[in-house]
Amino acid sequence: MIVCSCNVLSDTQVKACMAPGGAGPRTPAQVYRCLGCSPRCGRCATTIRKIMNASFAEASADAVEGCTTACAATCLHQAKVA
Ligand code: FES
């Protein structure tokens, strides 16, 4: 499902850039950066935050470090990709 129409980002893409264990992006702005874009209208920020919060809740059960997918070159957390 597309969650950001400006950048054509799906919920799957947002979930994929979240690192188990909470080592990934901590803010919606960092999610945009990890996916190689930036916020435009900002309407999706609340939805992205909800996806992030769900991911954090799931991650608390997993104590694994590192992103689950390769990030864009601008991602601050790219070094964590194995
Ligand atoms: S819908 Fe995501 S920035 Fe506009």
Side-chain angles (χ1 to χ4, degrees):
M1 173 179 67
I2 297 296
V3 295
C4 173
S5 56
C6 293
N7 291 302
V8 193
L9 300 179
S10 70
D11 58 336
T12 303
Q13 287 174 292
V14 173
K15 289 176 192 170
C17 79
M18 301 303 296
R26 304 299 295 176
T27 66
Q30 290 175 339
V31 169
Y32 297 120
R33 198 173 318 144
C34 282
L35 295 173
C37 59
S38 58
R40 295 185 186 172
C41 75
R43 284 181 305 165
C44 59
T46 301
T47 301
I48 289 176
R49 171 55 74 188
K50 286 179 183 174
I51 293 169
M52 294 176 73
N53 288 344
S55 178
F56 293 148
E58 290 175 15
S60 67
D62 306 327
V64 180
E65 295 272 333
C67 296
T68 57
T69 187
C71 300
T74 54
C75 180
L76 298 173
H77 309 286
Q78 188 174 24
K80 297 201 180 282
V81 175

